[in-house]
Amino acid sequence: MRSPVLPLTWHLARSSGRRGLQSRLLAASAAAVGAFVMLVMIAACLGSGARADRTAWRVPDAVPGRSATAVQATTTTYVRHQPVTVVNLAQRPDREPTPAPPGLSAFPKRGEVYVSPALAELLHRLPANQLADRFPEVKSYGTVGAAGLASPDELVAVIGRAPGDPAVSESAAGGSWYDEGQTARAGITGFSGSKPSMFTGSDQQTALLGAVLLVVPVVVLAAAAGRLGAARREQRLAALRLAGATPRQILAMTAAEAAGVGAAGALAGALAYVALLPALARIPYGVGSWYTGELWVGVPWLAAVVLGVTVLLTVSAVTMLRQVATSPLGVAQQADPRRTRMIRLVLFAAALGYIFLTAQDHMTNRQMIVLLVLFYAAFWLFGPWVVDRLGRIAGRFARRPATLLAARRLTDDPRGAWRTVSGLVLAGFVAGFFSVSRLDIGFTEHPDQVAVLTDGGADARHTAAETRTLLDRAGVKATVSTVGEDDFEDSVLLGDTGVVARVSGGPEQIDAATTALTAVGKGRFPVSQDYVSASDDTVTDRIATVSTATLILSFLVATASAGLTAAANVLDRRRVYGLLRLSGTPLRVLDRARVRETVLPLVVLAGGTTAMGVFGAYQLNKAAGATVNSSGAFQLAVCVTIGALAILAAIGGSRPLLRRVTANPTQTAD
Amino acid sequence: MSTVLAGHGLVKKYGSTTALAGVDVEVRERDSLAIMGPSGSGKSTLLHTLAGIIRPDGGRVLLRGARIDDLGENKLSALRRKRFGFVFQFGQLLPELPAEENVALPLMLEGTPRRQAVERARRWFAPLGLDGLEGRRPGQLSGGQAQRVAIARALVIEPDVVFADEPTGALDQNTSTEVVRLLTSVTREQGAALVMVTHDADVAAHCDRVLQVRDGRISSHHQYTVA
Ligand SMILES: Nc1ncnc2c1ncn2[C@@H]1O[C@H](COP(=O)(O)OP(=O)(O)OP(=O)(O)O)[C@@H](O)[C@H]1O
Ligand SMILES: [Mg+2]
């Protein structure tokens, strides 16, 4: 005999009216948001890995000199503070031909210059004396195709050189620490390099940080969605039980419906992700926007996310129903709220201590994820404890009924209240930390300097004279001096010997000076502050982007969960709310209590951890002698304020629901 | 004794259903009135109309001679809060509040300082046989105890009228008798009137008078001679 569960579920689902439809739509939208956010973060992780791989050809993998067929010298120059990767290539005359680099149809001949579309556009837009004159003069530029680029916005040039050209000589190899990741030279036989460029190398790890931070809020959201459905179904199912359905059948029906709603929502989220791929690809991260294909996660990931969200929703709905099933008079009738114990605080402190002791600068992805998960777990222990204490304190001092109701709710179900705010609390900490800390530690910056490296004192004096002439001819106002070891503090070269031009004027003047001085660099581009601080700036920039994005997405997700939870709570307690309203309790009081029960822990916990993050970053900065990033702090403040208001609005969104479910006395009263 | 609450010619229709078809009721001070009748006969509708929860389509409701059926929503709500007490079948106590705070809540809503409100609430526990249960939450109380807490909450504001809709509907026979005995006696001592809907003739027998309702009309009116 066929099980009646599925047809019956379908029948009930169809006949449950407009309100049932609304709550299912709400749950499905939550599933959609969850799936969408997760897919976007996975796409960012996979995509930034894929695109880092596409830059690996630029970093030469050295082969023994005897077998090398060509020399590759990659370096970086800056225009308008943006990096331009320049790959110089020279075929050795007596060797086998070297294969074409990615994005080019053939190995470049001497004198040929290939540029990425974004660089072509820039060459066209800027005066030649600010950019084009840094490269060999050509009639027309070739194009570096997408296969050789990480992003359509990347600025890349590939230049064919003669074997004896200074640009591919030993002196172009770059030996200073600031050359690391930006300048390298080696003999090659092809472009099988395995090390991604510095500008994309940290992208994936940072994106992963964001993804991991968002997992928990998304799980909470899906669970809240499952719960909403259960609250709605409870009444019907109680009737069904009276009509003789077994608890097992009822669970099966709940599971079937939740799975249906979850799968529909998650699929919609997945479709939205696919449909929005081109738009998502335009969101810049690191080196720029994306090629759409880079953000496609593939069918297995897509299926995994849809399945995961569906399962979460279903499990949440079923566990919720189990609670209802065991206490016929309502969910909230648990006899004694389980106390949260002090041990949570101790474990929390221990875990945080361990994290701070073991966290280092250069961690593998796995180490980072382990620490992050530990961090989460620590907060997961700690959060309910704080909520419980908060409830007790507020309960002791509450004078207004609304505050008292909220306080008692917090103590009654600290885990529930914690769940609603958890995503924000952790995102707040991370964002607070990263948006305020600058991470560039210690050295004085010289944004006005353009410098040329020299071999020694005599060379330096000679080069200085040449520099003056060149700058004069280019119409750049600058004071030129030679620098050496003693000038560690005052020179952008940090103690290396060379010539420094202190340029007056904005980025145009710096770019003009850089272009003019390319001629004296012996195959190397002049060095500016952008070049020297590139590796710090890259990491800082990526972390700032990801933490802002994570914070915004966390708020989005947390807002949705807070709204759903508030709605589910109203449905769960429609009887007691309805009866209170009949007895003349103003809805206003109930409403205030509902808002307070989320806002209290939100302010204390999210506010507290954000402040903790800011304070931690501030201490770190002070120790390192760097200043606090005040624009970051401002951004954070704006973000937190808007997010908190959004959450308030989301809770307020269930006010009409409260009004409606308590409106009909005959339904509530018996 | 003066009339506290009166309904004259009350009519209530839901679409084609006539829940009340012209009902006249009067309740005097310390009077207790039981409303009985088959399911769907209009008992709850009558109680809700008298209590200012639903508005009649015809007729008037008077509280100490003043019309209340034409008051605005907020005024009605305040009236219910200050002058009426309510006891329902079950599920009217907030599960996370201890019993004493559930009882104190109506006082706090009226602006009584919390400590004072809780103190006044506690005074009701002994007379209702609830000694020592002040700190228990509703989930930790038996059905009969929970109903007695609900009675305390209805009486704590010293109302003019207590309305009870099937207050013993979820209780067994013995508990039921105990609860209704307390409800009627304590309400009377307090000087309030009682209007109670019930299916149970034994429960109704504790009241001074019994109204039988059928199809939205009063079909019989029985006065016990006990009191
Ligand atoms: N909100 C409503 N909408 C439509 N019809 C209603 C509504 N409330 C009550 N009724 C109808 O009015 C009539 C009287 O209902 P009421 O609830 O007063 O009955 P009752 O005597 O309390 O029944 P019970 O003993 O089952 O509680 C019934 O036919 C009922 O179906
Ligand atoms: Mg009824």
Side-chain angles (χ1 to χ4, degrees):
Chain A
M1 204 183 84
R2 271 182 70 215
S3 150
V5 165
L6 278 179
L8 199 53
T9 311
W10 177 240
H11 174 73
L12 280 173
R14 286 206 336 194
S15 62
S16 67
R18 206 164 58 92
R19 235 191 269 173
L21 186 69
Q22 276 173 356
S23 83
R24 270 195 292 276
L25 264 179
L26 218 60
S29 334
V33 169
F36 180 79
V37 167
M38 238 30 255
L39 282 170
V40 168
M41 290 316 288
I42 292 171
C45 289
L46 296 178
S48 46
R51 89 189 187 169
D53 290 343
R54 288 165 78 160
T55 63
W57 66 273
R58 298 173 205 159
V59 184
D61 259 354
V63 295
R66 275 173 292 110
S67 52
T69 59
V71 175
Q72 176 179 5
T74 298
T75 187
T76 311
T77 183
Y78 285 79
V79 58
R80 296 292 190 274
H81 302 303
Q82 278 182 288
V84 183
T85 302
V86 179
V87 181
N88 294 293
L89 293 170
Q91 171 72 35
R92 293 173 73 167
D94 44 349
R95 301 291 165 92
E96 301 250 309
T98 313
L104 266 63
S105 51
F107 193 88
K109 293 198 197 56
R110 114 176 27 169
E112 284 180 341
V113 178
Y114 293 81
V115 295
S116 63
L119 182 56
E121 207 266 325
L122 207 58
L123 283 164
H124 186 72
R125 196 150 53 83
L126 296 182
N129 69 351
Q130 287 184 23
L131 179 59
D133 293 348
R134 296 183 206 182
F135 307 128
E137 209 180 319
V138 286
K139 281 210 194 66
S140 71
Y141 295 107
T143 302
V144 179
L149 298 174
S151 152
D153 299 335
E154 255 200 325
L155 305 177
V156 177
V158 180
I159 303 173
R161 301 282 188 181
D165 195 294
V168 290
S169 68
E170 296 277 356
S171 73
S176 289
W177 61 265
Y178 47 76
D179 289 323
E180 178 81 34
Q182 298 193 89
T183 297
R185 174 193 176 274
I188 55 165
T189 52
F191 296 92
S192 54
S194 53
K195 206 168 158 286
S197 116
M198 183 195 78
F199 298 105
T200 54
S202 64
D203 292 5
Q204 187 175 35
Q205 191 172 16
T206 322
L208 201 60
L209 179 92
V212 172
L213 278 173
L214 275 168
V215 167
V216 171
V218 167
V219 169
V220 170
L221 175 66
R227 220 191 121 203
L228 178 72
R232 200 49 231 132
R233 274 187 291 269
E234 167 203 342
Q235 214 175 23
R236 283 182 159 273
L237 295 175
L240 270 179
R241 197 160 45 161
L242 288 179
T246 64
R248 183 192 273 268
Q249 278 171 327
I250 288 173
L251 279 184
M253 281 167 61
T254 306
E257 196 190 328
V261 169
L267 266 177
L271 282 181
Y273 153 76
V274 174
L276 290 176
L277 266 179
L280 290 170
R282 288 167 62 179
I283 300 173
Y285 173 49
V287 290
S289 59
W290 310 71
Y291 291 110
T292 309
E294 292 170 336
L295 286 181
W296 167 239
V297 296
V299 173
W301 273 109
L302 205 72
V305 167
V306 169
L307 193 72
V309 169
T310 307
V311 167
L312 272 171
L313 221 89
T314 312
V315 168
S316 154
V318 168
T319 37
M320 192 66 200
L321 200 74
R322 260 179 200 280
Q323 287 175 33
V324 177
T326 46
S327 75
L329 295 191
V331 196
Q333 294 268 351
Q334 46 185 166
D336 196 10
R338 271 186 296 150
R339 292 282 158 99
T340 54
R341 278 174 304 163
M342 194 73 163
I343 185 76
R344 286 166 176 270
L345 179 67
V346 177
L347 288 175
F348 172 73
L352 275 201
Y354 176 78
I355 290 168
F356 283 124
L357 286 180
T358 45
Q360 319 138 356
D361 266 359
H362 295 285
M363 285 189 289
T364 63
N365 284 353
R366 179 181 298 231
Q367 285 171 321
M368 186 190 79
I369 290 180
V370 166
L371 281 193
L372 217 61
V373 168
L374 188 65
F375 186 72
Y376 248 120
F379 267 96
W380 214 255
L381 275 174
F382 180 57
W385 185 82
V386 175
V387 172
D388 195 2
R389 287 313 104 156
L390 193 65
R392 277 170 214 282
I393 293 168
R396 188 168 312 146
F397 296 107
R399 296 171 54 201
R400 297 310 195 84
T403 318
L404 182 66
L405 292 185
R408 294 291 183 239
R409 284 278 281 172
L410 291 183
T411 335
D412 186 54
D413 185 13
R415 285 170 198 78
W418 158 250
R419 242 179 287 133
T420 314
V421 298
S422 57
L424 275 182
V425 168
L426 292 150
F429 179 81
V430 174
F433 185 85
F434 289 122
S435 63
V436 174
S437 86
R438 280 172 61 124
L439 295 181
D440 49 350
I441 301 168
F443 306 122
T444 332
E445 302 221 322
H446 306 285
D448 60 332
Q449 294 187 3
V450 176
V452 180
L453 285 157
T454 59
D455 291 336
D459 181 29
R461 275 186 296 283
H462 175 69
T463 308
E466 240 182 306
T467 298
R468 283 194 191 92
T469 322
L470 285 170
L471 289 179
D472 225 29
R473 206 180 293 155
V476 176
K477 280 202 201 67
T479 54
V480 176
S481 54
T482 59
V483 291
E485 257 172 76
D486 301 337
D487 301 301
F488 189 89
E489 278 290 317
D490 304 323
S491 150
V492 74
L493 293 179
L494 301 163
D496 284 346
T497 49
V499 172
V500 161
R502 293 181 176 79
V503 177
S504 45
E508 297 87 11
Q509 295 301 304
I510 297 281
D511 288 341
T514 306
T515 309
L517 297 184
T518 300
V520 289
K522 298 192 195 65
R524 295 206 46 177
F525 288 110
V527 171
S528 65
Q529 185 65 51
D530 290 326
Y531 186 83
V532 172
S533 35
S535 88
D536 280 350
D537 288 351
T538 305
V539 175
T540 312
D541 169 78
R542 304 303 182 268
I543 287 182
T545 310
V546 166
S547 60
T548 308
T550 305
L551 192 66
I552 290 172
L553 286 177
S554 297
F555 263 120
L556 186 80
V557 171
T559 304
S561 325
L564 281 183
T565 306
N569 280 342
V570 168
L571 290 174
D572 274 348
R573 332 185 88 219
R574 54 183 171 262
R575 181 174 175 89
V576 70
Y577 283 162
L579 294 180
L580 282 173
R581 184 172 173 194
L582 290 195
S583 327
T585 310
L587 276 188
R588 199 166 6 97
V589 173
L590 300 179
D591 228 21
R592 264 190 218 146
R594 286 178 338 112
V595 170
R596 272 170 215 185
E597 97 192 31
T598 305
V599 168
L600 225 61
L602 183 72
V603 168
V604 171
L605 275 165
T609 45
T610 307
M612 220 166 97
V614 170
F615 179 75
Y618 175 73
Q619 289 297 323
L620 205 82
N621 280 335
K622 216 168 64 176
T627 46
V628 167
N629 179 353
S630 53
S631 83
F634 179 73
Q635 261 175 24
L636 179 71
V638 169
C639 215
V640 166
T641 311
I642 292 177
L645 289 178
I647 286 186
L648 282 188
I651 300 171
S654 50
R655 200 165 292 154
L657 181 69
L658 175 66
R659 187 163 285 281
R660 220 167 47 202
V661 300
T662 56
N664 190 342
T666 21
Q667 239 171 38
T668 24
D670 333 272
Chain B
M1 272 192 298
S2 64
T3 302
V4 182
L5 185 71
H8 296 303
L10 295 175
V11 175
K12 180 72 194 176
K13 290 188 174 144
Y14 293 107
S16 58
T17 321
T18 304
L20 295 179
V23 176
D24 293 294
V25 209
E26 265 189 31
V27 189
R28 291 157 184 277
E29 245 165 48
R30 292 168 199 269
D31 195 7
S32 56
L33 174 69
I35 302 173
M36 294 190 70
S39 184
S41 56
K43 305 180 297 288
S44 296
T45 309
L46 177 57
L47 181 118
H48 290 148
T49 311
L50 290 172
I53 291 168
I54 53 183
R55 242 177 261 277
D57 299 319
R60 292 177 300 163
V61 181
L62 305 170
L63 178 66
R64 295 199 185 279
R67 268 188 86 159
I68 62 163
D69 55 279
D70 56 358
L71 294 177
E73 184 58 44
N74 289 338
K75 284 226 171 95
L76 271 180
S77 171
L79 186 85
R80 298 201 296 269
R81 194 160 69 233
K82 292 177 193 170
R83 317 267 307 261
F84 297 155
F86 291 88
V87 182
F88 300 100
Q89 192 171 353
F90 67 89
Q92 58 210 298
L93 301 176
L94 276 162
E96 64 273 1
L97 290 194
E100 60 182 18
E101 286 175 7
N102 260 302
V103 176
L105 190 63
L107 292 172
M108 288 181 69
L109 287 174
E110 279 317 293
T112 311
R114 175 165 163 199
R115 185 180 305 185
Q116 220 174 307
V118 172
E119 227 159 70
R120 269 175 66 188
R122 281 199 190 124
R123 285 187 218 145
W124 287 95
F125 279 70
L128 287 165
L130 291 170
D131 249 338
L133 302 183
E134 291 84 350
R136 293 252 192 118
R137 292 138 36 87
Q140 301 166 303
L141 297 172
S142 72
Q145 289 167 338
Q147 284 309 78
R148 281 181 276 158
V149 173
I151 293 170
R153 192 179 68 179
L155 287 165
V156 76
I157 52 157
E158 298 171 3
D160 291 337
V161 187
V162 172
F163 293 95
D165 195 349
E166 307 266 11
T168 59
L171 304 177
D172 64 51
Q173 194 60 49
N174 290 338
T175 325
S176 176
T177 309
E178 168 76 7
V179 165
V180 77
R181 198 179 54 72
L182 280 167
L183 174 61
T184 46
S185 65
V186 176
T187 309
R188 192 172 293 127
E189 275 162 38
Q190 173 64 38
L194 172 69
V195 178
M196 171 169 72
V197 167
T198 180
H199 271 120
D200 186 338
D202 294 341
V203 167
H206 284 85
C207 294
D208 302 332
R209 295 184 292 139
V210 179
L211 277 187
Q212 288 286 348
V213 181
R214 190 174 293 267
D215 297 331
R217 292 173 197 283
I218 293 175
S219 61
S220 87
H221 187 165
H222 179 83
Q223 176 110 34
Y224 288 97
T225 44
V226 197

